[in-house]
């Protein structure tokens, strides 16, 4: 989610990327809108469904929720630094904001078991100690945690994660660890003010892009091959591809969005990103409604693609119409009120 940001300080590229991330998340979440019960049979996919399923593994799985997590880290720093400039207590204010998100997440979990909101709220608390830290300190911690994550994945891939350290390896390779890495990376990028300086740092951004491209391409080929042969280690390979995938996607989008014509073309997604909390929660209800209308008991990959596109079309239309009359999304407004305890206006 994105903490409320004064309109004049918004970085439109971040809102566009956030909107696109919400679209990508749909390709993973749509299947979760139907709760599997005992006795339900999940069909084995062949043909076009198998191809779509593999492409989702390669291009989407773990990448877009990671981008969303990265942007949460960016939002944390922007929110807290603005609070401090207003004379507020930034750490206390963001702690309260996370606790309010936890409450909203618990309510959402009653309707969608796969919601990320409670996890975001709890993991976000571990960002607080870094607010006063130096950029170099954050870099060191980020490098260390990322190194542990990758080494644990390689260990699990080569040795199966068995042995006395199996529980530690499972924790180190969990989605929670990946989310925290992305939180910290986003916080670092915002604190170092790198996003606002993409134009100045194009050479460095391209270097990251060029390094991550062959790594991601190689891992993508590996995922495709493993998927075709039903390899047991498929999920681990997908996890290995998450960080290079995010680096490639984010750097590519930041460079592309430097062009005004591209920003103008993708502007509708910025509105979706500006009310990310509302749209994320709404996705589960819209998805359930569409699945109910279609009378589906299980959701095939081709149905996932169709439903994800339909949900995003609805959210694109509704978000852009909403901002014709209002300055903030409805759940964003509720979250803001819960954070401050009094009515606030968008600056």
């Amino acid at each position: 989610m994105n903490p409320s940001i004064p309109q004049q300080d918004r970085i439109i590229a971040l809102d566009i990327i956030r909107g696109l991330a919400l679209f990508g998340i749909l390709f993973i979440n749509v299947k979760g809108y139907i709760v599997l019960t005992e006795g339900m049979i999940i069909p084995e996919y062949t043909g076009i469904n198998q191809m779509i399923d593999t492409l989702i593994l390669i291009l989407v799985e773990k990448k877009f929720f990671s981008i969303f997590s990265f942007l949460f880290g960016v939002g944390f720093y922007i929110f807290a630094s603005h609070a401090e400039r207003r004379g507020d207590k930034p750490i206390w204010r963001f702690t309260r904001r996370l606790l309010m998100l936890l409450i909203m997440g618990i309510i959402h979990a009653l309707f969608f078991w796969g919601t990320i909101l409670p996890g975001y709220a709890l993991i976000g608390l571990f960002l607080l100690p870094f607010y006063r830290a130096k950029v170099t300190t954050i870099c060191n911690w980020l490098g260390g945690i990322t190194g542990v994550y990758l080494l644990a994945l390689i260990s699990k891939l080569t040795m199966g994660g068995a042995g006395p350290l199996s529980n530690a390896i499972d924790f180190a390779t969990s989605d929670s660890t990946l989310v925290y890495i992305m939180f910290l990376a986003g916080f670092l990028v915002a604190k170092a003010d790198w996003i606002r300086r993409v134009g100045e740092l194009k050479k460095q951004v391209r270097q990251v892009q060029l390094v991550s491209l062959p790594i991601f391409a190689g891992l993508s080929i590996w995922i495709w091959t493993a998927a075709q042969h039903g390899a047991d280690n498929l999920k681990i390979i997908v996890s290995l591809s998450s960080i290079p995938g995010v680096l490639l996607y984010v750097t590519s989008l930041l460079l592309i969005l430097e062009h005004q014509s591209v920003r103008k073309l993708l502007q509708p997604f910025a509105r979706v990103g500006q009310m990310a909390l509302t749209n994320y929660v709404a996705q589960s209800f819209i998805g359930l409604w569409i699945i109910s209308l279609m009378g589906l008991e299980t959701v095939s990959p081709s149905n996932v693609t169709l439903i994800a596109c339909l949900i995003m079309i609805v959210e694109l239309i509704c978000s852009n119409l909403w901002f014709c009359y209002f300055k903030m999304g409805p759940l964003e407004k509720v979250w803001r009120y819960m954070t401050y305890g009094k009515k606030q206006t968008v600056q």
Side-chain angles (χ1 to χ4, degrees):
M1 307 316 102
N2 58 316
S4 301
I5 301 168
Q7 292 294 332
Q8 68 268 26
D9 288 341
R10 299 203 75 95
I11 303 174
I12 202 70
L14 294 182
D15 289 325
I16 292 172
I17 296 171
R18 190 177 287 110
L20 292 170
L22 278 169
F23 185 33
I25 286 171
L26 278 169
F27 287 85
I28 305 303
N29 282 356
V30 165
K31 285 184 180 180
Y33 296 152
I34 293 181
V35 178
L36 297 177
T37 57
E38 189 175 350
M40 289 183 67
I41 300 173
I42 303 175
E44 290 188 11
Y45 302 119
T46 58
I48 188 67
N49 276 313
Q50 184 184 31
M51 183 181 294
I52 293 171
D53 195 46
T54 305
L55 287 173
I56 289 173
L57 281 175
I58 292 171
L59 301 174
V60 180
E61 182 82 31
K62 295 188 184 292
K63 283 82 176 177
F64 283 89
F65 92 78
S66 294
I67 294 173
F68 205 56
S69 303
F70 171 84
L71 293 170
F72 184 96
V74 172
F76 163 63
Y77 180 76
I78 293 174
F79 176 91
S81 59
H82 284 177
E84 187 168 27
R85 285 202 295 270
R86 291 194 305 268
D88 203 348
K89 297 177 180 178
I91 294 177
W92 153 244
R93 187 60 64 190
F94 199 75
T95 300
R96 175 166 171 165
R97 192 165 184 79
L98 289 172
L99 293 175
M100 297 306 104
L101 181 63
L102 177 61
I103 293 170
M104 297 171 81
I106 291 170
I107 295 170
H108 188 215
L110 298 176
F111 302 93
F112 173 44
W113 64 271
T115 180
I116 59 175
L117 301 183
Y120 266 39
L122 294 173
I123 297 169
L125 292 170
F126 292 93
L127 274 178
L128 297 173
F130 288 98
Y131 182 67
R132 303 290 183 191
K134 295 179 180 179
V135 168
T136 51
T137 301
I138 301 169
C139 281
N140 291 336
W141 275 91
L142 178 61
I145 298 170
T146 303
V148 169
Y149 175 73
L150 294 175
L151 286 173
L153 283 172
I154 293 168
S155 171
K156 205 168 186 178
L157 188 65
T158 55
M159 297 183 290
L165 296 177
S166 60
N167 289 335
I169 290 173
D170 287 342
F171 176 76
T173 58
S174 67
D175 284 346
S176 296
T177 303
L178 180 57
V179 166
Y180 187 63
I181 288 169
M182 293 300 158
F183 277 7
L184 199 55
F187 179 79
L188 169 65
V189 166
K191 188 176 180 69
D193 202 27
W194 290 336
I195 290 179
R196 292 184 187 275
R197 297 166 52 214
V198 170
E200 303 172 33
L201 301 171
K202 277 186 180 179
K203 183 178 179 181
Q204 291 88 336
V205 175
R206 285 199 181 98
Q207 286 174 346
V208 174
Q209 185 185 39
L210 291 173
V211 169
S212 58
L213 176 58
I215 298 173
F216 180 62
L219 288 167
S220 297
I221 294 169
W222 193 3
I223 293 169
W224 181 273
T225 305
Q228 302 311 305
H229 294 87
D232 294 333
N233 57 10
L234 180 58
K235 289 185 178 180
I236 303 173
I237 305 168
V238 170
S239 295
L240 275 173
S241 72
S242 58
I243 292 176
V246 170
L247 287 172
L248 178 62
Y249 287 1
V250 172
T251 53
S252 298
L253 284 168
L254 287 173
L255 289 174
I256 292 170
L257 290 168
E258 280 290 288
H259 300 282
Q260 187 174 358
S261 57
V262 178
R263 288 200 304 273
K264 187 174 181 180
L265 178 66
L266 296 176
Q267 174 66 33
F269 281 96
R271 293 305 193 184
V272 175
Q274 279 181 251
M275 47 191 288
L277 176 60
T278 297
N279 280 316
Y280 176 77
V281 172
Q283 285 178 351
S284 53
F285 295 102
I286 300 170
L288 281 168
W289 176 64
I290 293 174
I291 289 169
S292 176
L293 285 179
M294 295 174 70
L296 300 175
E297 292 185 1
T298 59
V299 187
S300 68
S302 56
N303 282 329
V304 165
T305 304
L306 174 61
I307 293 167
C309 291
L310 288 174
I311 293 172
M312 185 47 57
I313 289 169
V314 170
E315 293 197 326
L316 281 166
I317 293 169
C318 292
S319 297
N320 282 273
L321 284 175
W322 181 270
F323 280 103
C324 289
Y325 303 98
F326 305 99
K327 294 182 178 180
M328 187 184 297
L331 286 186
E332 282 72 18
K333 192 168 186 177
V334 171
W335 192 17
R336 189 178 180 87
Y337 181 84
M338 292 170 72
T339 299
Y340 290 99
K342 58 183 179 180
K343 189 174 181 180
Q344 295 273 319
T345 58
V346 180
Q347 297 179 38

